[in-house]
Amino acid sequence: MDGEAGGAPEVHRSPAPRDFHFCPTDLYDSEGRLRLFPEERTRTGRQVAAEMTSEPGGAAPGKAQSDLEEEVQELVDLYALGGGGEWGAELVDGSAPRVEVSEPRLHLSSAGAQRDWRLGAEAEDPGCLGWGAAGRDLREAYRYAHGRASEEYECYVIPEEEDEDEAALVFCVTCKAPVRACEVSDAHGEHEVTPLSKALESAKDEIHKNMFKLEKQIIEMENFANHLEEVFITVEENFGRQEQNFESHFNEILETLAQKYEEKIQALGEKKKAKLEALYGQLVSCGENLDTCKELMETIEEMCHEEKVDFIKDAVAMADRLGKFLNTETDVEISAQPDFEDQTLDFSDVEQLMGSINTIPAPSAPVINPQAPNSATGSSVRVCWSLYSDDTVESYLLSYRPVQDGSPGKDQAEFTMTVKETYCSVRNLVPNTQYEFWVTAQNRAGRSPASERAMYMTAPSPPVIKSKEIRSCEEAALICWESGNLNPVDSYTVELTQAESPEASGVTESVVGIPTREALLQLQPRQRYTIYVRALSVGGPSARSDPVTVYTTGSFFHLNQHTCHPGLTISEDGFTVVRSERKTPAKEPLPGNTRFTRCVAVMGNLIPIRGRHYWEVEVDERSHYTVGVAFEDVPKQEDLGANCLSWCMRHRLASSRHKYEFLHNGTTPDIRITVSPRKIGILLDYENSKLSFFNADISQHLYTFSCQLHRFVHPCFSLEKPGCLKIHNGISMPKHVTFY
């Protein structure tokens, strides 16, 4: 095998001759390879040159040469090359040799002289390099190990591998090509470069976006091609049936005309024969009478020349004969007139056949097709049907009516439309509603029976995202929405568009098959997302909902109106809670334990994600307030912090003195706060089961609870007297908070 083909040279090993000590010299670093130099002392050419020039730490310049001489001496001792060879003497003469390998040559040069030995047949002496008998033995061993018959001694050189840093690639955005990192400062110094992995991800994203657009275009073109195919088949079938009908009727007309021709020709022949036979008989009779007259005339002429006695005798007999002949009536009128009778031809049956060319039977009942996937929108549906091949149809009557509660409504109005093709897009329908369709075919002969009934369903209306109920953190977001449809849908799909700028667009991810009207989405930190929701049913997917924007910067939540005490008012943006001085009329509490009754408080809806959540509350140092967290089932008739289900910081102002308490289960530690906070930072840490409070304005830590958070908790806010609390969330976590 050739060593340049990418693999190790093939070695044919057979038993070595006796007293022959063979050392494997596999140049591809096998385990049995003979090591020329110890590994810990292996260096590159650049390192040797650097050491020869100068040694760090003030080492003597000759130390590099001394080390190199030791290595050369080890090589000489290893191969027994020190016996009188001139190479060994040259290597230890006090100059630093330099080794260069080029093709099959080995150049050894020093500062003062340079010698060139050619390996192989070009060597002047079989014992070149001053190896003597040992050198010849090694050559023989090499040829023996590699199966060489040639006298050449080939030298294989393994190129030095490049450093990984030198081979590292980056992507030049300006040139749109990968380049080596070492070339950036030269030809690409002023170009925009980016890591190759990032460029690869960007290219993949761009390809995915284009693939999505291409798939959408393919679907549209396939639908259009299907429509054209249906029209083509319908036109071809209709014209084919017309051609068959024309051919059949014209063949029938030709057969009828041929039959009438034969009948008329036969009748004319019979009449001709009868007339000719009558005329011929009359002609024969006339000839016979003429012959008799001529014979009588000749007899009378002969009698006139006879004697008187003979004349008288014959005259009496002739008179009797002439009397009888003359008394016989002779028909001298033509029995058959020569005039040709006008033969009137009756083509009424032919005319009837000609008129019946366009008279075809009424078509049979069409066959309506079941609903195809993605054939409906929220206000339209595409209905298709087929017909028997022998039918000729001029138009179709498509009828439909809505279906309620799974059965057609008897009182529902029916709608009918005339269609020329075997499909129709029915518009102005109600979203997510089932309709019953049937179709009849008609032509000049009449109308076909109605097809069987088929149920079609429109696509749902777009869902409506509840923007006031969106909850998010750095790793996730909880999205809720309303169906927007009277009838239930099968599932929902959430589409996310990740964009660093508002101008960027493109669907990067879709979450499908969501059975409920909410979804917990895993997101990337510190990003901006545009989110849409689609509803899916038998009729297909709905259009996109109106978009909402989610920022994964800190924890974001709104106040829960369902937990708010009647004495509190929540602003429209959902981030401010106010207790006014006037008394609010008592409201009927909602059933269950959702609304605070005794404690004038409200809860926030924090996303159910474990991790670290941070928000801030802007307070009035003169108001009486309580802030903290509590479980959802905290008793609503008790004060916050008075039980084991809540952890809170409470502030009261008594005699111009500020009193701060950190309450849990009705107890508080003895803590003095000298600087009254105007903005309180709250850190909820699920991972370490801690709840910390901070003076956000001066970055001061106030207190930390060690909590047993076996379930999710929610922020809670309370005002014991008139005042205002403003919540700031969706903000990045300050640096001083990360240490707790």
Side-chain angles (χ1 to χ4, degrees), residues 472-588:
S472 64
C473 62
E474 291 191 351
E475 296 85 13
L478 181 63
I479 310 298
C480 303
W481 58 86
E482 292 290 345
S483 172
N485 297 273
L486 297 177
N487 298 323
V489 299
D490 295 338
S491 63
Y492 298 92
T493 297
V494 176
E495 298 177 355
L496 299 91
T497 301
Q498 181 178 348
E500 297 180 357
S501 62
E503 293 78 12
S505 62
V507 175
T508 58
E509 184 179 359
S510 294
V511 182
V512 300
I514 303 173
T516 60
R517 293 192 295 272
E518 66 177 23
L520 184 61
L521 310 174
Q522 299 296 325
L523 306 177
Q524 297 296 324
R526 295 175 295 280
Q527 298 293 329
R528 173 183 175 270
Y529 289 88
T530 303
I531 298 178
Y532 308 85
V533 181
R534 295 181 189 266
L536 281 81
S537 69
V538 177
S542 70
R544 278 179 168 182
S545 65
D546 292 335
V548 294
T549 302
V550 173
Y551 296 90
T552 55
T553 304
S555 299
F556 178 83
F557 60 89
H558 286 87
L559 297 176
N560 189 351
Q561 293 275 4
H562 300 291
T563 63
C564 184
H565 187 276
L568 296 179
T569 302
I570 300 177
S571 62
E572 291 186 1
D573 60 6
F575 301 118
T576 303
V577 56
V578 178
R579 181 173 183 177
S580 59
E581 295 183 0
R582 60 183 180 87
K583 291 186 177 181
T584 305
K587 298 181 181 179
E588 188 71 20

Side-chain angles (χ1 to χ4, degrees), residues 669-687:
D670 186 12
I671 294 179
R672 306 289 181 177
I673 297 178
T674 57
V675 179
S676 298
R678 301 181 61 87
K679 184 182 291 185
I680 301 173
I682 302 175
L683 174 64
L684 173 62
D685 188 353
Y686 280 103
E687 297 177 354

Side-chain angles (χ1 to χ4, degrees), residues 230-242 360-369 384-396 419-423 439-443 448-449 451:
E230 292 174 359
V231 174
F232 181 87
I233 294 174
T234 301
V235 172
E236 184 180 23
E237 290 179 351
N238 287 339
F239 276 94
R241 284 191 291 272
Q242 290 287 350
I360 54 179
S364 302
V367 179
I368 193 166
N369 299 340
C384 301
W385 58 89
S386 58
L387 65 156
Y388 291 103
S389 59
D390 295 334
D391 291 339
T392 300
V393 178
E394 296 178 357
S395 62
Y396 300 91
V419 185
K420 291 292 185 181
E421 309 297 340
T422 56
Y423 62 91
V439 64
T440 57
Q442 61 183 5
N443 55 24
S448 74
S451 67

Side-chain angles (χ1 to χ4, degrees), residues 28 93 99 138 161 185 405 417 425 497 558 654 704 709 721:
Y28 288 84
D93 64 354
V99 180
L138 288 175
E161 296 184 357
S185 60
D405 299 330
M417 52 196 313
S425 293
T497 301
H558 286 87
T704 297
L709 303 176
K721 291 185 178 182

Side-chain angles (χ1 to χ4, degrees), residues 388-428:
Y388 291 103
S389 59
D390 295 334
D391 291 339
T392 300
V393 178
E394 296 178 357
S395 62
Y396 300 91
L397 296 177
L398 178 62
S399 302
Y400 63 95
R401 63 182 177 184
V403 176
Q404 293 183 348
D405 299 330
S407 60
K410 297 181 180 179
D411 299 332
Q412 296 292 334
E414 295 183 3
F415 303 91
T416 302
M417 52 196 313
T418 302
V419 185
K420 291 292 185 181
E421 309 297 340
T422 56
Y423 62 91
C424 178
S425 293
V426 184
R427 307 184 184 279
N428 300 323

Side-chain angles (χ1 to χ4, degrees), residues 142-163:
Y142 183 86
R143 289 204 307 271
Y144 182 84
H146 291 267
R148 301 288 186 181
S150 172
E151 292 297 327
E152 285 190 9
Y153 187 95
E154 297 187 4
C155 181
Y156 288 84
V157 179
I158 305 301
E160 179 183 359
E161 296 184 357
E162 296 183 2
D163 295 338

